[in-house]
Structures are given as structure tokens and as C-alpha cells.
Amino acid sequence: EAYNYDLSLEYYFDESDFVAFGFFYKDIKDFFSNNTVETPVTNNGVTQLVDIDQPINIGEASISGFEFSYQQFFDDLPGIWSGLGMQFNYTYLDPSEVPQQNLRPVQSGSQDDANRASIPFDNLPLQGLSENQYNLVGIFQNENWEVRLAYNWRDDYLLTIREVNIGLPTFVQDYGQLDGSVFYRINDTWQMGLQGSNLLQDEVITENQVNPDGLRVFRSSFIFDTRYTFVIRGTF
């Protein structure tokens, strides 16, 4: 659950050109974590205590930050070049008082939890959030054509607080991806085009944090395929 506070300022210096600043603060509670609970299970008249790993809600924290956006079309350029434009967005996040999300009442690595290799950490960031991220988009647009080339980048982030097989936190390294699209307007109703994602087939590298001081070691490397999609759009 969260209470969100936002303040933004936008300045338009042409019909479709603008710069914008946004500041935000989020007061959050009941984060997701995991806990191991001894639960009695009865089968054929026999009852045994079974350790069940299940999600729970814990703690409170806050996130503050700001956003910057810029868009401009270069209408003053001669001829076909007047269809050129660009967009840029940047976001900065600053979490504080993040609750300990991977501790359990029976801590991993103890005598009561000998089948787990993980250890508790008290310095993990929020899952899925990068401190810095931006995207830069080049645009060409006129009555018939719409072309976009977008580069999206984010710095490292926590993928999961407990990897399922070894119980260690998993991080994703800094990552950028180039996407693009080309659309042609057939008439006032129909458009057809081609979209491509991950055009450069950038490598995604994950790491495990192995001690409370933040030491990380290589875990895995992925290179995902480029994906192309043919699209027909209609408006009625």
C-alpha cells in the first residue's frame, strides 16, 4: 500500500515541444517478503509438521526522486528534415528505510535451516527498481511516415531477494536496449508497419550477492533474440 505525492512543472515552447520536471514521494508499507512456517499436515490419519515457505507482508519505507522530460520537433529545418524530432526522459529514485526483506524467524544458514546455503542481508534495495534510468528517442514523422528509434537504459537492480535454489539475492547488471519501428499511413483509416525490439541483442548479466558487505559474483548471462512484429492498425 502507498500514499503518493507528486509535483510537476511543464513548459511548452512550441505546439508540441516542451520540457518538464516532476518530483515525487511515496510512503509505502506492507512489502512482500518470505517466511518459513511450521504447518501441521494430516494424511491418512498421520499428522506431521511441514516447513512451508510462503509470502508475508512486512515493514515500511519511502521512495523519493525526480523525473525530467524533453521533447522537440525541428519544424524549422528545410524540406523533409522538418519531420525530425527527439524525446529524452530521465528518472532518479532514492529509496530509504527499506525493510529487511530476506530475513526469516529461522534464519537461513542456522542449525534449524541447514538445508539452505543463504545468509541474511540487511542492506538490500527494493526489488525491480534502478536508481537511474533514461530513454532517448529519435523521431521522423510526416503525413505518411512515422519512424522511431529508441534506446532505453537502466542501472543495476535487485531481481529477487531469494533465488529459489540457493536462497541468495540476485541482481541484474546495467542494461540498455535499442528498439525501433517504421509505420506507413495508407489512408486516413489504415496504417501498416514493422516493429523491432532488442535490435543489438545486448547481453543481460545477473549476479548473486554472497555476503552482507555487498560482494557479488557472476551468476548467468543471457542474450535474447531480436523480435520483429508486423502490425496493421485501423481507426474507425
Side-chain angles (χ1 to χ4, degrees):
E1 298 180 15
Y3 289 96
N4 303 301
Y5 306 91
D6 299 271
L7 176 66
S8 62
L9 174 66
E10 301 175 358
Y11 173 68
Y12 292 84
F13 53 93
D14 204 343
E15 184 176 353
S16 57
D17 304 337
F18 68 89
V19 291
F21 294 90
F23 302 90
F24 55 85
Y25 177 83
K26 304 177 184 294
D27 190 8
I28 311 171
K29 67 177 182 178
D30 290 341
F31 287 90
F32 295 117
S33 184
N34 292 320
N35 191 20
T36 299
V37 179
E38 281 192 342
T39 304
V41 176
T42 301
N43 185 32
N44 292 329
V46 178
T47 300
Q48 290 185 331
L49 290 177
V50 178
D51 288 338
I52 297 179
D53 198 25
Q54 66 184 33
I56 59 173
N57 293 114
I58 61 167
E60 300 179 359
S62 63
I63 302 174
S64 58
F66 69 88
E67 302 168 303
F68 170 75
S69 300
Y70 162 74
Q71 176 176 291
Q72 184 173 4
F73 286 90
F74 304 101
D75 303 328
D76 296 333
L77 293 176
I80 192 174
W81 303 109
S82 63
L84 290 176
M86 67 171 296
Q87 295 173 330
F88 176 76
N89 299 278
Y90 168 77
T91 302
Y92 170 77
L93 296 176
D94 181 23
S96 63
E97 301 179 357
V98 177
Q100 172 54 283
Q101 298 175 77
N102 82 324
L103 281 180
R104 300 182 296 180
V106 179
Q107 295 182 356
S108 300
S110 71
Q111 291 298 318
D112 295 327
D113 194 18
N115 62 332
R116 289 292 204 133
S118 65
I119 54 178
F121 300 96
D122 60 4
N123 60 348
L124 296 177
L126 291 177
Q127 292 183 76
L129 298 182
S130 296
E131 184 179 21
N132 300 280
Q133 52 189 329
Y134 72 84
N135 62 78
L136 179 63
V137 185
I139 306 170
F140 176 79
Q141 194 170 297
N142 60 23
E143 292 182 356
N144 296 321
W145 291 95
E146 182 179 321
V147 182
R148 291 176 179 261
L149 193 63
Y151 183 75
N152 304 282
W153 180 90
R154 62 186 300 182
D155 60 15
D156 63 330
Y157 64 95
L158 178 63
L159 179 65
T160 178
I161 56 174
R162 299 180 65 84
E163 186 179 4
V164 64
N165 55 345
I166 58 176
L168 291 172
T170 302
F171 287 80
V172 178
Q173 284 190 3
D174 302 354
Y175 176 72
Q177 179 171 308
L178 184 66
D179 304 320
S181 64
V182 179
F183 280 90
Y184 177 74
R185 183 173 298 278
I186 303 172
N187 51 42
D188 292 340
T189 302
W190 295 100
Q191 271 186 314
M192 61 183 299
L194 185 67
Q195 295 176 326
S197 61
N198 193 27
L199 296 176
L200 300 180
Q201 295 188 338
D202 291 284
E203 184 179 17
V204 180
I205 297 175
T206 64
E207 299 173 316
N208 284 127
Q209 183 174 326
V210 295
N211 68 24
D213 295 327
L215 177 64
R216 302 180 193 174
V217 298
F218 176 83
R219 173 184 176 271
S220 61
S221 173
F222 301 92
I223 297 180
F224 296 101
D225 291 337
T226 301
R227 175 177 295 180
Y228 297 100
T229 306
F230 178 71
V231 180
I232 297 178
R233 295 175 178 168
T235 55
F236 302 95

